[in-house]
Amino acid sequence: MITLLDYGAGNVRSVINAIESLGEQVHLVETGNDILSAEKLVFPGVGAFGNMMKILNRKNFVAPLLAYLNADRPFLGICLGLQALFERSEEAPDITGLGFISGNVKRFTTDLSVPHIGWNGVNVQKPSRLFAGLEGNEKFYFVHSYHVNPDTDEAILTTTDYGYEFVSAIQKGNVIATQFHPEKSGKQGLRLLENFLRGDGKMVMPVKTSSHTHLAKRIIACLDVRTNDSGDLVVTKGDQYDVREKGDVRNLGRPVDLARRYYEEGADEIAFLNITGFRDFPLEDMPMLEVLRQTSENVFVPLTIGGGIRDYTDKDGRTYTALEVAAKYFRSGADKISIGSDAVLVVEEYLKTGIKTDQSAIEEIARVYGNQAVVISIDPRRIYVKNPDEVRHQVIKTQYPGPNGESYCWYQCTIRGGREGRDVDAVTLARICEKLGAGEILLNCIDRDGTNQGFDLELINGVKEAVSIPVIASSGAGCSEHFLEVFKKTKAESALAAGIFHRKEVPIGQVKTELKGQVEIRP
Ligand code: 1PR
């Protein structure tokens, strides 16, 4: 029996699923005594340091946790579960951590995008049971803006490079904690988790451990999901956002089956977009929550979910906040949520007042779940202009002139699945969303969506230059060369495609083969 400390934030479902997939049962901590009587304790943490410590204090978990750790009993901390072991964090300077290891938690200071999101390697510093069966050159999934900084080297188990070398796992006796997420790191992650759960076996120093690691560019499979006219929940796909063919919603398969297929084929991440979320409130009838629950049972890479994340009042007059909607998604197995239409409305308000209210969906969800959990999905469309002074938007000079020979354009944000254009451009939207606490941009492009013509490099470069958070390039992939092109010609951290994967025109493996040797990937 494995005891799991769930303090109420983030995606514990995936950790439970991963442990159960390894044949173990999970008991959730309800009182401090559950901690003290645990045989093996797993502490996954996602979210923000301050919020986590406040909850641990409120629930009186701090003293039993310290007693457990000081008795050198088997412990696995994940992500914030590592950071919690330290004395303090720059993320919440007034709040003290557990102080089991001396040192602090620092925000990344690098020119690279922060959060550090994606698959990176580990430089192993000492042997551990954790590494049985691993070669040492595997990549694991990271998602964090802060990293631990121990006062001494004694407990360092692995380091990882991102701008500079940081500590990515510690081991002090039976207490182990990783910054990366084994439960989200595919088969290698499960192996590492299994090694902890077994708790026996030899101390292993992997043979291929490196002295430098590199973050891989991510390949993301995207599933646009909606109910078709017969009432079935299907994966669909649009041409420039029009998902109907001869009047019917295109049906490309069942969401849970396709997600499973992409995991097996090597997708680094999977995104579900509930494309009618703007009109069908996701908590009213909850098929997407069920899709997430089922998917997270056997898909062990990160899952993002979007659609309908906003404040909402139902027909009985009950009001739900965007934070409540997001919380349901996280608890059902999502690692990140994505906000589309509501982000545009939030930014419009901000542009009017110039005031951060701290109450927008972006700010509230980032405060509780951390910036890295908030993705902004932008649905822009090109608007051509003859002269850059014609509009007060971020205008670019384009290589692809408009229908009347215009050589400038701006990218108009839309809401409601591209149905309504608004007076905000994509570059401004991305910049303000970053300021409000978003951790990543999913950059679609209505003009390219479903066309197979390749990604809109001008749009991607325009947005990427304006923000320091990671950008997912999306829309238009037609062949594996398009992925190479987007990674060579832009600084996008990941690339997403839908149609070519659903129609089996280009398998994910073929994309990775194309990139191998030229772009860092997770094999
Ligand atoms: O506005 O917060 O409720 O979120 C709705 C979400 O649904 C948004 O993220 C929005 O992008 C998405 N969405 C709404 N309508 C559509 C549609 O297609 N009619 N899909 C839609 C957006 C775009 C991509 C697509 C890529 C790659 N889909 O995600 O998967 O363009 O396609 P390709 O490789 O086939 O070219 P809210």
Side-chain angles (χ1 to χ4, degrees):
M1 175 74 73
I2 306 301
T3 302
L4 189 126
L5 175 52
D6 169 17
Y7 63 92
N11 177 8
V12 288
R13 173 101 332 252
S14 303
V15 184
I16 296 172
N17 288 339
I19 295 172
E20 288 180 348
S21 79
L22 296 166
E24 291 283 353
Q25 287 188 332
V26 176
H27 169 75
L28 292 179
V29 168
E30 276 168 23
T31 66
N33 274 339
D34 293 332
I35 296 176
L36 294 171
S37 59
E39 263 171 66
K40 293 193 174 96
L41 183 64
V42 177
F43 179 16
V46 180
F49 185 91
N51 186 51
M52 167 185 66
M53 286 311 304
K54 274 189 203 155
I55 300 175
L56 291 182
N57 277 304
R58 196 168 61 228
K59 295 194 165 182
N60 295 322
F61 286 167
V62 169
L65 256 177
L66 278 171
Y68 185 92
L69 294 164
N70 286 324
D72 192 28
R73 312 234 319 260
F75 173 93
L76 179 66
I78 300 173
C79 194
L80 267 188
L82 161 69
Q83 299 181 9
L85 299 178
F86 286 70
E87 293 166 300
R88 59 201 166 273
S89 170
E90 285 179 6
E91 193 177 5
D94 303 334
I95 295 178
T96 48
L98 294 172
F100 175 70
I101 293 179
S102 17
N104 63 351
V105 182
K106 292 176 49 158
R107 194 176 156 84
F108 272 110
T109 44
T110 164
D111 293 340
L112 299 172
S113 298
V114 176
H116 168 223
I117 300 185
W119 298 76
N120 205 332
V122 290
N123 311 306
V124 176
Q125 306 294 315
K126 60 182 184 187
S128 167
R129 291 191 178 89
L130 220 51
F131 302 129
L134 297 180
E135 304 235 293
N137 57 357
E138 291 84 3
K139 287 193 193 286
F140 298 95
Y141 186 75
F142 289 81
V143 51
H144 59 129
S145 302
Y146 296 81
H147 62 83
V148 299
N149 190 30
D151 286 345
T152 66
D153 292 353
E154 212 181 325
I156 300 177
L157 180 61
T158 68
T159 62
T160 292
D161 296 282
Y162 189 63
Y164 51 88
E165 191 179 10
F166 70 92
V167 174
S168 51
I170 61 98
Q171 177 158 14
K172 188 172 163 188
N174 287 314
V175 174
I176 300 175
T178 63
Q179 182 58 64
F180 51 89
H181 290 261
E183 80 285 6
K184 287 284 148 191
S185 298
K187 298 194 170 73
Q188 294 92 335
L190 291 182
R191 180 66 207 246
L192 196 136
L193 193 58
E194 190 178 13
N195 290 340
F196 167 77
L197 300 180
R198 292 251 164 85
D200 46 18
K202 281 196 292 217
M203 302 291 272
V204 173
M205 188 70 192
V207 285
K208 292 196 183 155
T209 188
S210 51
S211 54
H212 278 295
T213 69
H214 302 278
L215 179 68
K217 299 284 185 183
R218 280 168 286 153
I219 305 301
I220 302 177
C222 183
L223 288 75
D224 290 350
V225 179
R226 63 163 286 171
T227 308
N228 67 10
D229 301 321
S230 338
D232 303 320
L233 196 69
V234 297
V235 174
T236 189
K237 184 67 214 67
D239 280 333
Q240 300 185 322
Y241 282 38
D242 179 0
V243 298
R244 287 185 185 268
E245 193 169 341
K246 298 191 188 126
D248 295 329
V249 172
R250 280 190 199 94
N251 178 351
L252 293 162
R254 288 166 23 128
V256 178
D257 298 346
L258 275 188
R260 176 74 196 251
R261 186 182 114 205
Y262 297 138
Y263 169 62
E264 298 294 341
E265 287 180 2
D268 298 317
E269 207 168 306
I270 289 166
F272 292 104
L273 297 176
N274 175 1
I275 68 169
T276 49
F278 69 88
R279 60 165 182 246
D280 308 326
F281 181 55
L283 300 190
E284 218 143 66
D285 110 57
M286 309 195 204
M288 288 307 287
L289 297 178
E290 194 48 37
V291 164
L292 269 177
R293 269 186 220 116
Q294 290 184 23
T295 302
S296 67
E297 274 169 23
N298 42 37
V299 170
F300 299 107
V301 294
L303 303 175
T304 299
I305 175 108
I309 297 178
R310 65 199 147 97
D311 296 345
Y312 182 83
T313 303
D314 70 13
K315 49 186 180 312
D316 304 322
R318 175 164 176 203
T319 298
Y320 298 82
T321 63
L323 181 62
E324 284 174 285
V325 182
K328 288 265 189 210
Y329 278 144
F330 286 123
R331 293 200 78 76
S332 305
D335 300 286
K336 300 187 263 185
I337 55 90
S338 104
I339 307 179
S341 304
D342 198 50
V344 180
L345 304 179
V346 166
V347 168
E348 284 180 355
E349 199 51 36
Y350 178 87
L351 287 171
K352 261 192 245 154
T353 61
I355 296 170
K356 272 176 74 179
T357 62
D358 282 343
Q359 279 165 13
S360 68
I362 302 171
E363 290 157 291
E364 292 213 319
I365 300 170
R367 193 161 46 242
V368 177
Y369 292 95
N371 312 73
Q372 79 294 328
V374 182
V375 181
I376 304 299
S377 169
I378 313 184
D379 301 315
R381 174 183 281 129
R382 274 184 176 221
I383 305 285
Y384 286 97
V385 286
K386 282 228 154 69
N387 185 330
D389 304 330
E390 271 175 48
V391 285
R392 52 178 182 78
H393 296 295
Q394 292 277 333
V395 170
I396 60 155
K397 189 160 174 39
T398 173
Q399 284 186 44
Y400 310 100
N404 302 311
E406 300 93 333
S407 42
Y408 295 92
C409 73
W410 63 285
Y411 288 90
Q412 180 185 41
C413 291
T414 64
I415 60 173
R416 302 162 59 81
R419 288 167 182 80
E420 189 181 329
R422 307 291 296 197
D423 196 25
V424 186
D425 65 82
V427 175
T428 304
L429 185 99
R431 196 187 293 125
I432 293 174
C433 287
E434 175 177 15
K435 207 185 263 181
L436 296 177
E440 194 170 23
I441 302 290
L442 194 185
L443 188 55
N444 303 299
C445 175
I446 297 180
D447 311 276
R448 292 294 174 104
D449 175 60
T451 62
N452 290 8
Q453 286 172 8
F455 297 94
D456 187 329
L457 306 178
E458 293 178 339
L459 167 65
I460 297 160
N461 280 324
V463 169
K464 187 68 210 158
E465 274 162 28
V467 295
S468 61
I469 52 180
V471 170
I472 303 168
S474 164
S475 303
C479 56
S480 50
E481 289 81 2
H482 286 152
F483 291 84
L484 186 60
E485 179 180 60
V486 77
F487 289 134
K488 289 273 183 197
K489 296 190 178 163
T490 78
K491 291 188 176 156
E493 279 79 4
S494 44
L496 172 152
I500 54 168
F501 295 152
H502 303 335
R503 294 186 299 266
K504 298 191 174 165
E505 288 162 13
V506 181
I508 292 170
Q510 188 177 322
V511 174
K512 297 232 173 151
T513 308
E514 175 77 31
L515 299 177
K516 201 171 169 192
Q518 309 207 56
V519 170
E520 185 74 18
I521 49 158
R522 175 179 75 113

